[in-house]
Amino acid sequence: MQLEFFDARIWRYLVSAISKVIEEGVFIVSPNEGMRFRAMDPSHVILLDMYFPKDSFETFDVGEEVRIGINFEDLAKVLRRAKKEDRLILESKDSTSFSITFKGKGERTFTLPVLDIVAEEIPEPQLEFKASIKIMSDIYRDTIKDVELIGDIVKFIASSEEFKIASSSEFGEAEIIYSRESGSIIDLEVEDVQEASYTLEYFTDLSGAARVADTITIRFSTDMPAEVIHEIPQGVVFKFLVAPRVE
Amino acid sequence: MGGRRLPPQLCTRCKGYKKLCGLTICPILERFRTQVSITTSMRDLSLLDGATPPNIIVGEQGYPHVSLLYGIPPGIHGDQARKFNDPKEWHRRRISLNTILRLRSSIVSATIRVRVDEPEALYNKELSLAAVSEKPVESEASLERPPSMKLRFDGLLIPQGPNAKAREIRVSSNPSLPRQLEKLIWDYDVKASDAIWELYLTTNDVYIATNALSLGLLGQRKMRRIVPTRWAITAVDDIVAKRLLAKVKRYDTINEVEVYHASYLGNIFTIILAPGSFEAEMVEIWHPLTPWTQTAYEPIIYTIRETPTARITTMDGGYMATRLAIVEHLYRRKRQAKAIIVREITRDYYAPVGNWHIRETSRQALVETPTRFQNLVDALKYTSSLHRFKGLPRLLESLNLTHKILYERSLDEYLKR
């Protein structure tokens, strides 16, 4: 199996974000669909889902389905060496190891062992979201940084006019409002008023992934899970679903 | 002090360690130092002769030129010297704070200046080997002047007795080292963190590894440094706990809420373990009239939080010590859990004696049979009943981790199987 991707930095930021939440997991590369990774954290509060369609690769040489058991911390360390203009080649010749090659000014290849682990079967979530907000990814990252200063819980409140992100603790309060007029919202679709709270830490840990995303879509409903979708060039999608805090 | 009143909130966070008030010397520790004056049994005030238990401390002032305090109880030889620096045994026999202070004040330290990047010099004189000996080591020091009769305190270290500059320190019996350590001293390829881990596994504790790291006996040849003892204590607690945690985080979770309890030296500890993947929150309640809250009118609260991704809100030697005890416990039973730790410090803890008692009391609490509960709310109620602080029920309820355990849902509810 051999895959070639145009920008190694996209891999770098996605894998680095994943490594903060999950220690190991399985990349599944299928000849018809492309590459997919899905996993939940040990306490089943967050579900990560990363998808690289077949067409996003410049080379997609896959005979039959390949499963690669990954230690994310180790892979993130290697990917941290990706330079700006580097392409990435992912290769697997046998079931015991796989290699990462950065193709730029030279070719730098790292070989890592494949972990002997089984991908957890996770059903597709069947959720209806009553609020959907699409914003630019840099605005999303700034917002997470703002609320981080204050508390450990982030609260989303959405109406047809505005999207409000809030946090409070003994330390103080933070409130960030994006209205239709402010121009920072690309799309806002909300039924009535939706309001829910989440553990901020997951958003913080995964905010690095937003660096390589163009836009972010947040979908949620009152006291229900939230889904954060990162739209990345070449049709690549990274999303996570996080369980709410309900008092 | 000129009438300046230091806020006790700051002092409980600092414990004389971080110098948060901006003063170069902690006035609280300094006051203790002068309160406890002592007399020595030394007959010849220029010659210090006895066995070090061992008790060798590296200071941090003036880094990278630091002082080394070589502690010897004057005139005490052989095994008799051991009790002067034996935290585990003190804890096992529940030795009182008074007795500990008396023992510590009768140790005299011969001090020399050393450069942190010259550990070989200490090794060649066998001074660093004495520090990691399993048995007391006969020693002799000629002093430049008579020792100052003061007891020195520190938030993280065992109190230090009188000290005086030494012209020379001689080791006159053979230090007895764990075999694994002898091997590691000569191993110039192994990283210090790997060496610490190996030592922990063979000696079953952190104390020898801490001294070995502090005296620059571990690590790759060119990387070896003399490390101030209090840095070494927390570094070793952290390195060992991290390695254990990497394994613990793969284990199944416990399935009931368990409450463990113990107290010693005026410190009351309760450790609550709850089902879920590892994370922790520790709350300290400092009653008025403890070392750090002399000027407080009501208890001072201080919390430290460790998230599932191992971010710790503040580096705190006390938390690192209790965390090690908890991770050791989980590792032994091959389970993981969330931990809420309550440490209540009463006025009976009138002088700080170092963080070893936090590590040992937490360990002791965790070997006792826990009281079990079906839910966290009942466990918190029970915990409040074990403590003196009236505001504990509300405080426990307000903890971040409590809120998370009680209110965070699992995705399993929303994923149809």
Side-chain angles (χ1 to χ4, degrees):
Chain A
M1 179 213 86
Q2 195 193 44
L3 309 178
E4 184 170 342
F5 191 77
F6 82 107
D7 185 357
R9 285 172 59 255
I10 291 183
W11 282 72
R12 169 186 168 171
Y13 287 112
L14 293 181
V15 169
S16 154
I18 293 171
S19 73
K20 290 184 182 159
V21 180
I22 286 173
E23 289 186 18
E24 45 197 44
V26 180
F27 283 174
I28 301 174
V29 188
S30 84
N32 300 324
E33 288 172 32
M35 201 204 81
R36 188 144 193 209
F37 160 72
R38 292 176 82 225
M40 285 204 265
D41 74 308
S43 38
H44 286 200
V45 179
I46 186 159
L47 164 65
L48 304 183
D49 188 336
M50 177 170 77
Y51 175 57
F52 282 75
K54 191 176 165 181
D55 301 340
S56 68
F57 295 99
E58 283 162 351
T59 309
F60 190 79
D61 179 8
V62 182
E64 54 185 19
E65 188 182 273
V66 181
R67 288 175 177 242
I68 308 173
I70 304 275
N71 176 315
F72 283 107
E73 207 180 307
D74 292 345
L75 182 58
K77 268 185 207 157
V78 168
L79 289 172
R80 226 166 278 152
R81 302 293 306 149
K83 300 273 157 54
K84 223 174 175 182
E85 312 273 294
D86 284 348
R87 303 165 160 279
L88 180 130
I89 298 167
L90 177 71
E91 213 167 345
S92 130
K93 291 201 182 87
D94 54 48
S95 58
T96 58
S97 67
F98 69 101
S99 69
I100 298 284
T101 302
F102 299 121
K103 204 163 134 191
K105 292 195 174 115
E107 280 197 18
R108 294 135 61 216
T109 301
F110 299 84
T111 304
L112 293 174
V114 168
L115 300 190
D116 185 17
I117 46 175
V118 184
E120 197 183 352
E121 288 302 326
I122 306 164
E124 280 292 337
Q126 306 290 330
L127 291 165
E128 231 182 278
F129 298 104
K130 294 183 175 160
S132 171
I133 304 103
K134 189 173 188 171
I135 51 178
M136 296 303 290
S137 65
D138 52 338
I139 289 181
Y140 168 79
R141 281 182 59 221
D142 278 346
T143 306
I144 299 301
K145 279 193 187 140
D146 285 342
V147 279
E148 249 176 58
L149 291 178
I150 299 296
D152 303 280
I153 301 169
V154 60
K155 191 173 193 178
F156 292 157
I157 305 153
S159 67
S160 54
E161 288 313 307
E162 63 177 30
F163 177 42
K164 188 156 94 184
I165 302 103
S167 186
S168 67
S169 67
E170 74 272 28
F171 185 64
E173 281 178 32
E175 192 178 85
I176 295 113
I177 299 175
Y178 296 112
S179 60
R180 269 189 199 284
E181 291 96 70
S182 68
S184 39
I185 290 183
I186 302 170
D187 204 9
L188 179 73
E189 276 173 55
V190 185
E191 263 178 53
D192 310 319
V193 174
Q194 302 297 326
E195 194 176 319
S197 297
Y198 306 93
T199 303
L200 177 62
E201 196 194 0
Y202 301 111
F203 292 83
T204 309
D205 286 341
L206 293 165
S207 68
R211 293 173 77 118
V212 291
D214 296 326
T215 58
I216 303 283
T217 303
I218 299 170
R219 306 201 292 164
F220 74 101
S221 312
T222 297
D223 290 344
M224 292 294 281
E227 186 175 57
V228 179
I229 306 165
H230 300 58
E231 288 105 7
I232 298 163
Q234 304 294 324
V236 177
V237 178
F238 172 70
K239 58 186 181 182
F240 63 87
L241 184 74
V242 54
R245 285 207 191 182
V246 184
E247 276 188 53
Chain B
M1 285 294 294
R4 183 174 160 194
R5 183 175 169 272
L6 295 175
Q9 288 86 344
L10 208 62
C11 298
T12 50
R13 272 170 60 199
C14 169
K15 294 160 192 144
Y17 180 52
K18 297 176 179 167
K19 312 271 156 65
L20 295 178
C21 58
L23 302 170
T24 48
I25 296 168
C26 173
I28 294 174
L29 291 176
E30 197 56 23
R31 191 165 54 216
F32 270 109
R33 194 176 169 176
T34 45
Q35 268 170 5
V36 192
S37 63
I38 44 186
T39 51
T40 180
S41 55
M42 281 173 80
R43 274 188 222 116
D44 176 356
L45 289 175
S46 65
L47 185 73
L48 181 56
D49 175 38
T52 183
N55 180 71
I56 295 160
I57 300 282
V58 177
E60 62 178 83
Q61 260 185 27
Y63 193 92
H65 298 266
V66 293
S67 53
L68 180 111
L69 287 79
Y70 194 101
I72 301 173
I76 311 277
H77 295 276
D79 253 2
Q80 291 300 314
R82 193 191 288 271
K83 66 170 182 287
F84 290 87
N85 187 22
D86 200 355
K88 279 190 92 106
E89 187 62 14
W90 293 342
H91 182 270
R92 199 181 62 79
R93 295 175 49 204
R94 301 187 69 78
I95 300 290
S96 71
L97 194 54
N98 248 327
T99 312
I100 292 172
L101 294 181
R102 214 184 54 238
L103 284 169
R104 296 306 304 175
S105 60
S106 46
I107 279 204
V108 178
S109 289
T111 69
I112 50 171
R113 289 302 263 189
V114 290
R115 273 190 60 100
V116 294
D117 52 3
E118 289 174 353
E120 296 88 5
L122 292 181
Y123 178 83
N124 293 337
K125 289 190 209 148
E126 293 205 352
L127 298 187
S128 42
L129 294 179
V132 289
S133 175
E134 290 179 306
K135 289 189 193 136
V137 182
E138 300 297 326
S139 315
E140 224 179 72
S142 51
L143 305 179
E144 279 184 14
R145 52 181 169 74
S148 62
M149 294 300 152
K150 297 279 159 62
L151 193 53
R152 209 192 311 193
F153 289 91
D154 177 295
L156 214 56
L157 299 180
I158 290 176
Q160 297 301 311
N163 66 75
K165 255 195 194 152
R167 257 185 226 106
E168 208 198 342
I169 305 172
R170 281 178 304 276
V171 172
S172 49
S173 73
N174 279 335
S176 127
L177 272 57
R179 186 174 301 173
Q180 189 64 17
L181 178 56
E182 284 188 34
K183 201 193 102 209
L184 289 165
I185 291 173
W186 288 102
D187 189 337
Y188 291 120
D189 300 317
V190 65
K191 281 190 174 176
S193 59
D194 293 332
I196 288 163
W197 176 241
E198 251 182 72
L199 264 184
Y200 171 77
L201 291 179
T202 48
T203 62
N204 240 321
D205 217 324
V206 289
Y207 298 101
I208 288 200
T210 303
N211 287 332
L213 176 70
S214 172
L215 274 296
L217 293 173
L218 304 177
Q220 294 168 341
R221 178 165 224 160
K222 286 190 176 154
M223 307 291 279
R224 291 189 183 188
R225 294 286 181 280
I226 292 168
V227 180
T229 306
R230 35 185 199 185
W231 305 359
I233 291 173
T234 299
V236 170
D237 275 346
D238 189 34
I239 288 167
V240 172
K242 265 196 193 128
R243 300 248 171 155
L244 292 171
L245 261 179
K247 300 198 163 75
V248 164
K249 285 185 172 172
R250 288 158 191 256
Y251 296 150
D252 289 340
T253 145
I254 59 171
N255 42 31
E256 279 175 307
V257 183
E258 305 169 347
V259 179
Y260 299 85
H261 185 72
S263 57
Y264 178 49
L265 301 179
N267 280 251
I268 310 169
F269 283 90
T270 302
I271 298 170
I272 306 168
L273 297 182
S277 50
F278 179 84
E279 59 186 303
E281 189 158 9
M282 176 168 175
V283 51
E284 291 187 349
I285 303 137
W286 292 82
H287 284 278
L289 298 177
T290 72
W292 312 113
T293 51
Q294 292 292 327
T295 59
Y297 299 109
E298 51 189 63
I300 302 296
I301 312 295
Y302 170 48
T303 60
I304 300 134
R305 168 98 165 96
E306 175 169 356
T307 67
T309 46
R311 262 202 301 263
I312 302 175
T313 46
T314 23
M315 189 41 92
D316 181 279
Y319 171 67
M320 297 316 266
T322 191
R323 171 192 193 230
L324 175 70
I326 293 168
V327 176
E328 281 175 335
H329 167 86
L330 292 170
Y331 177 71
R332 265 198 308 274
R333 51 190 284 213
K334 293 202 176 346
R335 285 287 179 278
Q336 63 171 323
K338 297 186 193 297
I340 295 175
I341 307 118
V342 181
R343 176 185 173 205
E344 185 175 20
I345 304 98
T346 67
R347 54 190 290 186
D348 296 339
Y349 188 63
Y350 58 85
V353 291
N355 73 345
W356 56 270
H357 77 93
I358 302 176
R359 190 181 304 109
E360 295 307 329
T361 308
S362 304
R363 281 174 170 169
Q364 181 215 333
L366 289 161
V367 296
E368 314 272 330
T369 311
T371 314
R372 295 170 199 278
F373 296 90
Q374 286 309 308
N375 62 64
L376 185 66
V377 176
D378 292 345
L380 294 180
K381 259 186 218 145
Y382 174 69
T383 300
S384 295
S385 75
L386 298 172
H387 286 263
R388 300 183 191 171
F389 177 51
K390 295 277 178 293
L392 195 55
R394 274 190 59 189
L395 175 61
L396 287 174
E397 209 175 290
S398 74
L399 290 182
N400 203 300
L401 187 51
T402 303
H403 192 273
K404 189 169 174 181
I405 296 171
L406 291 179
Y407 303 120
E408 186 171 72
R409 298 293 176 90
S410 153
L411 281 178
D412 296 339
E413 292 176 38
Y414 309 97
L415 297 175
K416 302 228 167 62
R417 302 226 172 219

